[in-house]
């Protein structure tokens, strides 16, 4: 007579309930982390715009030292890379690359004489409208 041993076969794997619990946990993590990540992304665009305005201001100051005045509103920021007509003391280009657009793809607003100082340099932020808060805040040099 032989001995019969009863072996129970155990399936290895996850049950549907275990998978659902993992998916719920992942959903909660994404719901918590994603808004914080995207908020930081908006802040970095504002910081980039502030840094670019600061850089453009320094280039405009160098232009003024060479020429004796800032470019007019009509000449605009293009005067930093291209000699304006009737500017014999221009010693540019004052930027190593073309004048950048703001982080949202729009040109910076330049006025000389400015309403808030000798020159006004600004970006209307993410929404492209005057005023705003957070990502939509206007970034200005005054």
């Amino acid at each position: 007579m032989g001995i019969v041993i009863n072996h129970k076969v155990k399936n290895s794997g996850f049950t549907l309930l275990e998978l659902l619990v993992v998916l719920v946990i992942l959903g909660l993590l994404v719901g918590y982390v994603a808004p914080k990540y995207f908020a930081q992304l908006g802040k970095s665009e504002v910081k980039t715009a502030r840094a670019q305005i600061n850089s453009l201001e320094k280039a405009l100051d160098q232009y003024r030292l060479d020429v004796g005045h800032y470019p007019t509103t009509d000449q605009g920021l293009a005067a930093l890379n291209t000699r304006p007509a009737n500017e014999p003391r221009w010693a540019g280009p004052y930027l190593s690359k073309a004048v950048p657009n703001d982080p949202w793809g729009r040109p910076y607003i330049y006025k000389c004489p400015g309403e808030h100082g000798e020159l006004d340099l600004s970006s209307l932020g993410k929404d492209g409208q005057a005023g705003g808060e957070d990502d939509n805040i206007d970034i200005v040099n005054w």
Side-chain angles (χ1 to χ4, degrees):
M1 257 198 190
I3 301 175
V4 176
I5 300 175
N6 188 5
H7 289 278
K8 289 185 180 180
V9 177
K10 184 175 182 180
N11 290 332
S12 61
F14 297 104
T15 66
L16 181 60
L17 181 61
E18 291 170 329
L19 288 174
L20 289 174
V21 168
V22 169
L23 287 175
V24 167
I25 291 171
L26 286 174
L28 290 172
L29 285 172
V30 168
Y32 179 74
V33 172
K36 293 188 180 295
Y37 170 76
F38 288 114
Q40 293 301 320
L41 182 63
K43 287 179 185 177
S44 70
E45 290 171 331
V46 170
K47 287 180 182 179
T48 299
R50 285 192 176 123
Q52 286 178 334
I53 285 177
N54 188 23
S55 177
L56 290 170
E57 264 193 305
K58 289 178 181 175
L60 287 163
D61 287 341
Q62 186 62 47
Y63 178 100
R64 182 178 147 207
L65 287 171
D66 291 344
V67 177
H69 57 85
Y70 289 114
T72 65
T73 301
D74 291 337
Q75 291 170 329
L77 296 174
L80 295 173
N81 285 334
T82 306
R83 178 190 301 270
N86 301 320
E87 293 294 356
R89 294 178 21 204
W90 187 87
Y94 297 94
L95 295 173
S96 59
K97 297 179 181 177
V99 176
N101 285 335
D102 70 14
W104 302 278
R106 291 183 294 276
Y108 284 100
I109 300 166
Y110 172 75
K111 294 179 185 174
C112 184
E115 298 171 11
H116 303 278
E118 286 187 81
L119 65 93
D120 290 353
L121 192 54
S122 62
S123 165
L124 296 177
K126 183 177 183 179
D127 64 354
Q129 305 290 322
E133 296 177 359
D134 300 325
D135 296 353
N136 298 326
I137 193 167
D138 295 349
I139 298 94
V140 298
N141 72 326
W142 59 88

